[in-house]
């Protein structure tokens, strides 16, 4: 465990020595960002919409008290999704989607000697392959999280109004009530941290694959489980430090 | 010129390279010859630094490579073209992009110059018109050829090919061999080719290094190779011929068998008839030398005994 951590830190340091030219890394980053964004947008949209809807319905069920205004439902959906559900659940979903694809891709490149081919050309394969992925994830994850926030609040609205638990007017009043802009900043900080954790851990797992197709599968699985654990620990640490 | 000195490499307690030394000269096609699993690919990877040898050193034109500073090693590597045994094409890129890749990374050619070079290299390996194919759409031999095109695309100073013509038909294999030799001589580069193909040895082997169980047992030119008196090398070279000989021996044995049966019939009626046939049968039972003239000679001596 400690050994892996040490190896991981060493790996991260190799990303920043003997980098390729900025232009090449920039182009690679754009490619990776497009890949991550396009591949993830639909799953993020579906998950966040339903999370918003479910949150709304459950909050409504729990707020069965005449003294509490119905607009509280909108307020609570906003608070829960922006602070926790949108960044964290989205990141966990992305750990499965992006993490496994990063680890699988790098693992395959490793076992088919494509990484060696890069090295032989005098290219720092770690920085060429991994750095753009990490940077791209850091750029794209916050966008996906913003999308997720928006869609989960929308999901709550649709579920709440369709089920008749809350009127449109009440919901909108609720989501505008006591709005703290810092919460959005906090969520975006979380998404950046999670982006870094997922992309770097998955790259690390994939990059050090040895063996065959079986090991590539194992690396993907390890990438996802390790990333999810890291996200949850990171979530706790950030909440503790920044709230 | 590439010099390697006393290279050792073990994986766990499995010794793969056991003190290999040698000098690979510039402008010559140097061949690493040896049976499957003797450590040829591992040696090649040790030379280019993909595998770190446990012991030993490699120098490229006088510059120490193994364990040298990263930027010096990288500098040398940028002059290396390498074909991997598994081709190692970038499978997310088209054939064209694969060949263009080193040009993009290592040279300052513009797009036009790069494409010109790509098309030229693809033509040299007989793959014009496959530009837009993905590696997954290629046959094994085609992948090999794309790999060669990629290796030779940026004018390299050192060329390493791990089995460039395995999986190719004899005609294409010959073409690839000639291509490598031509490039080597034309640009005066240092080429090391891993092979177990005797045809390549005869065609292009300027200098041959024979590896056996992690050791270099023999080195010399293709003219000398037939006359070597290393048992393992001879076994390797004549493996094919041995098979042919084995077939010949088989045929002879069948003929002998027929002859024996024939003689047997004769010896059944031997009592009344002459003795020689009996002697022949006896001599046939003696152990026979391997050489083709064997049986006749033995029969002869058998008769002489009488
Ligand atoms: N990464 C590795 N880990 C452990 N053992 C290895 C590794 N790479 C190679 N070997 C072992 O080293 C030995 C030599 O392998 P190598 O690939 O060099 O053979 P080769 O001479 O190239 O054979 P072939 O002609 O079949 O390609 C083999 O016995 C192989 O099992
Ligand atoms: Mg090999």
């Amino acid at each position: 465990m400690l050994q892996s951590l040490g190896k991981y830190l060493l790996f991260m340091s190799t990303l920043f020595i003997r980098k390729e030219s900025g232009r090449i890394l920039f182009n690679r980053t754009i490619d990776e960002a497009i890949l991550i964004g396009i591949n993830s947008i639909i799953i993020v949209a579906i998950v966040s919409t339903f999370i918003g809807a479910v949150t709304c319905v459950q909050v409504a069920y729990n707020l069965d008290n005449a003294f509490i205004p119905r607009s509280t439902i909108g307020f609570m959906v906003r608070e829960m999704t922006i602070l926790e559900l949108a960044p964290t659940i989205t990141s966990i979903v992305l750990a499965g989607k992006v993490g496994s694809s990063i680890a699988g891709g790098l693992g395959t490149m490793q076992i088919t000697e494509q990484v060696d081919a890069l090295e032989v050309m005098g290219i720092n394969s770690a920085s060429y392959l991994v750095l753009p992925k990490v940077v791209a994830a850091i750029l794209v994850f916050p966008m996906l999280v913003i999308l997720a926030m928006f869609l989960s609040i929308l999901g709550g609205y649709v579920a709440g109004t369709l089920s008749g638990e809350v009127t449109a007017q009440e919901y909108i009043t609720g989501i505008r009530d006591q709005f703290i802009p810092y919460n959005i900043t906090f969520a975006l900080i979380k998404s950046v941290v999670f982006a870094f954790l997922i992309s770097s851990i998955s790259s690390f797992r994939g990059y050090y694959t040895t063996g065959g197709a079986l090991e590539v599968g194992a690396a993907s699985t390890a990438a996802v489980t390790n990333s999810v654990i890291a996200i949850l620990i990171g979530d706790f640490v950030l909440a503790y430090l920044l709230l | 010129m590439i010099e390697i000195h006393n290279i050792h490499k073990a994986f766990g307690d499995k010794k793969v390279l056991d003190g290999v030394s040698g000098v690979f000269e510039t402008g010559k096609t140097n061949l690493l010859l040896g049976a499957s699993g003797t450590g040829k690919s591992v040696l090649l990877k040790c030379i280019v630094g993909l595998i770190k040898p446990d012991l030993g050193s490699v120098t490229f034109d006088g510059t120490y490579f193994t364990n040298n500073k990263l930027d010096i090693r990288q500098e040398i590597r940028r002059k290396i073209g390498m074909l991997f045994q598994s081709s190692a094409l970038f499978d997310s890129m088209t054939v064209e992009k694969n060949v263009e890749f080193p040009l993009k990374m290592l040279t300052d050619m513009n797009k036009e110059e790069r494409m010109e070079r790509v098309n030229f290299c693809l033509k040299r390996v007989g793959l014009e018109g496959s530009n837009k194919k993905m590696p997954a759409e290629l046959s094994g031999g085609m992948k090999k050829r794309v790999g060669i095109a990629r290796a030779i695309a940026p004018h390299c100073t050192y060329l390493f090919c791990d089995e460039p013509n395995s999986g190719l038909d004899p005609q294409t294999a010959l073409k690839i061999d000639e291509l490598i030799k031509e490039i080597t001589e034309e640009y005066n580069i240092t080429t090391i080719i891993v092979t177990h193909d005797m045809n390549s040895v005869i065609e292009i082997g300027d200098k041959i290094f024979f590896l056996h169980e992690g050791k270099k047992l023999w080195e010399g030119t293709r003219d000398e190779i037939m006359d070597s008196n290393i048992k393992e090398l001879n076994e390797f070279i004549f493996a094919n011929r041995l098979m042919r000989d084995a077939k010949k021996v088989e045929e002879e044995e069948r003929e002998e068998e027929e002859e024996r049966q024939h003689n047997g019939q004769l010896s059944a009626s031997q009592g009344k008839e002459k003795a020689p046939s009996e002697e022949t049968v006896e001599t046939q039972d003696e152990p026979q030398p391997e050489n083709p003239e064997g049986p006749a000679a033995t029969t002869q001596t058998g008769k002489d005994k009488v």
Side-chain angles (χ1 to χ4, degrees):
Chain A
M1 174 71 197
L2 273 179
Q3 212 180 358
S4 300
L5 194 66
K7 219 170 139 194
Y8 168 74
L9 292 176
L10 274 179
F11 173 68
M12 292 320 295
S13 69
T14 61
L15 298 190
F16 299 98
I17 50 168
R18 56 170 187 139
K19 287 195 300 242
E20 294 311 315
S21 81
R23 188 179 51 86
I24 285 168
L25 286 183
F26 178 78
N27 290 340
R28 286 263 305 120
T29 305
I30 300 298
D31 289 347
E32 292 288 347
I34 292 171
L35 211 67
I36 293 176
I38 289 179
N39 282 342
S40 316
I41 198 160
I42 292 188
I43 183 80
V44 167
I46 293 173
V47 168
S48 53
T49 308
F50 275 91
I51 282 181
V54 171
T55 310
C56 178
V57 170
Q58 291 196 351
V59 167
Y61 168 76
N62 281 301
L63 283 186
D64 214 8
N65 189 325
F67 292 106
I68 300 174
R70 297 308 281 171
S71 66
T72 311
I73 295 173
F75 172 75
M76 292 208 46
V77 169
R78 186 198 76 207
E79 289 296 289
M80 286 172 75
T81 53
I82 288 183
L83 264 185
E84 181 64 18
L85 297 178
T88 310
I89 301 287
T90 302
S91 294
I92 287 177
V93 168
L94 289 177
K97 183 88 190 170
V98 177
S100 64
S101 105
I102 288 179
L106 285 177
T108 307
M109 289 190 77
Q110 188 65 263
I111 65 161
T112 55
E113 298 181 313
Q114 294 176 49
V115 173
D116 286 350
L118 286 172
E119 284 288 329
V120 148
M121 291 174 196
I123 296 164
N124 175 6
S125 59
S127 110
Y128 176 80
L129 292 171
V130 175
L131 196 57
K133 288 188 202 294
V134 174
V135 175
I138 288 176
L139 290 177
V140 173
F141 273 36
M143 296 186 207
L144 290 171
V145 166
I146 290 174
L147 176 79
M149 290 173 184
F150 176 74
L151 286 180
S152 46
I153 290 173
L154 187 70
Y157 172 82
V158 173
T161 49
L162 284 187
S163 66
E165 296 285 356
V166 60
T167 64
Q169 191 55 53
E170 283 166 340
Y171 189 85
I172 289 167
T173 312
I175 59 175
R176 296 176 66 172
D177 189 25
Q178 297 171 44
F179 176 66
I180 310 168
Y182 176 71
N183 284 354
I184 299 225
T185 315
F186 176 67
L188 293 182
I189 292 174
K190 283 206 323 192
S191 69
V192 168
V193 172
F194 296 163
F196 177 79
L197 288 174
I198 292 171
S199 56
S200 62
I201 290 173
S202 307
S203 299
F204 170 67
R205 283 294 172 202
Y207 191 81
Y208 285 105
T209 308
T210 50
L214 214 58
E215 280 79 7
V216 174
S220 282
T221 311
V224 176
T225 48
N226 295 4
S227 299
V228 169
I229 293 169
I231 288 170
L232 295 175
I233 294 173
D235 194 22
F236 174 76
V237 171
L238 286 177
Y240 185 80
L241 291 179
L242 297 180
L243 283 186
Chain B
M1 186 169 72
I2 301 171
E3 290 165 86
I4 60 173
H5 181 67
N6 199 25
I7 305 263
H8 284 261
K9 180 71 200 176
F11 292 104
D13 44 5
K14 186 181 186 316
K15 225 178 199 168
V16 177
L17 295 176
D18 192 7
V20 183
S21 305
V23 175
F24 304 96
E25 285 169 46
T26 307
K28 298 226 165 113
T29 43
N30 300 279
L31 263 50
L32 285 177
L33 191 66
S36 179
T38 43
K40 304 182 297 293
S41 300
V42 171
L43 179 59
L44 208 59
K45 286 184 183 172
C46 281
I47 294 175
V48 299
L50 287 173
I51 294 179
K52 202 167 158 13
D54 299 333
L55 198 71
S57 65
V58 179
T59 42
F60 286 77
D61 289 318
T63 312
Y64 177 65
F65 180 74
T66 328
N67 298 327
N68 207 332
K69 280 202 300 266
L70 205 65
D71 23 336
I72 295 179
R73 274 191 291 158
Q74 205 167 357
E75 199 52 47
I76 292 175
R77 275 186 170 172
R78 286 182 183 258
K79 297 188 218 157
I80 292 176
M82 181 158 176
L83 165 72
F84 286 79
Q85 189 166 4
S86 63
S87 304
L89 300 183
F90 302 122
D91 50 21
S92 57
M93 299 180 193
T94 59
V95 165
E96 181 178 273
K97 286 267 180 321
N98 262 285
V99 181
E100 191 194 359
F101 185 80
L103 298 173
K104 218 166 160 178
M105 299 297 288
L106 308 176
T107 69
D108 13 285
M109 291 183 181
N110 63 32
K111 181 85 190 164
E112 221 165 87
E113 291 166 331
R114 289 202 303 262
M115 288 328 293
E116 197 177 315
R117 179 81 189 143
V118 166
N119 288 327
F120 175 77
C121 290
L122 284 177
K123 198 159 173 229
R124 288 296 287 269
V125 296
L127 278 176
E128 58 271 63
S130 297
N131 294 39
K132 300 289 177 213
K133 289 212 172 88
M134 295 303 279
E137 298 169 306
L138 302 179
S139 73
M142 287 164 90
K143 281 186 198 159
K144 268 260 139 81
R145 288 186 278 158
V146 178
I148 292 168
R150 186 177 68 181
I152 63 174
H155 297 284
C156 51
T157 317
Y158 313 103
L159 181 62
F160 300 91
C161 297
D162 199 340
E163 304 196 3
N165 52 18
S166 70
L168 298 181
D169 59 284
Q171 209 179 358
T172 317
L174 189 67
K175 240 171 49 192
I176 295 294
D177 277 348
E178 279 167 355
L179 170 67
I180 293 173
K181 189 168 173 62
E182 225 174 277
I183 292 168
T184 304
E185 284 167 3
E186 195 177 329
Y187 299 103
N188 198 33
I189 61 183
T190 312
T191 303
I192 304 181
I193 302 171
V194 168
T195 187
H196 27 56
D197 183 3
M198 280 311 291
N199 290 334
S200 302
V201 173
I202 309 289
E203 288 294 332
I204 59 165
D206 291 336
K207 185 83 176 278
I208 298 138
F209 297 78
F210 178 67
L211 286 187
H212 184 74
E213 291 177 357
K215 285 197 167 70
K216 187 188 77 184
L217 285 192
W218 183 87
E219 68 170 271
T221 65
R222 63 188 137 171
D223 300 323
E224 294 161 2
I225 197 166
M226 292 300 176
D227 309 325
S228 83
N229 49 10
I230 309 282
K231 182 171 150 280
E232 286 84 357
L233 179 57
N234 285 334
E235 275 173 12
F236 185 89
I237 300 173
F238 297 113
N240 271 328
R241 195 171 296 173
L242 270 182
M243 266 159 60
R244 230 179 297 141
D245 284 356
K247 206 175 154 199
K248 215 187 277 172
V249 168
E250 218 175 70
E251 270 170 23
E252 277 157 9
E253 269 171 7
R254 206 178 45 237
E255 275 168 24
E256 275 163 32
E257 184 65 33
E258 278 169 17
E259 203 179 329
R260 203 178 303 162
Q261 278 175 3
H262 179 68
N263 287 338
Q265 282 170 1
L266 280 182
S267 58
S269 54
Q270 155 237 30
K272 326 155 195 168
E273 291 286 327
K274 18 175 177 159
S277 59
E278 198 177 79
E279 261 89 300
T280 324
V281 172
E282 262 172 26
T283 47
Q284 291 274 351
D285 288 337
E286 282 171 16
Q288 290 180 18
E290 285 286 59
N291 64 359
E293 284 134 53
T298 342
T299 323
Q300 210 62 44
T301 41
K303 266 180 187 161
D304 286 348
K305 263 189 223 157
V306 184

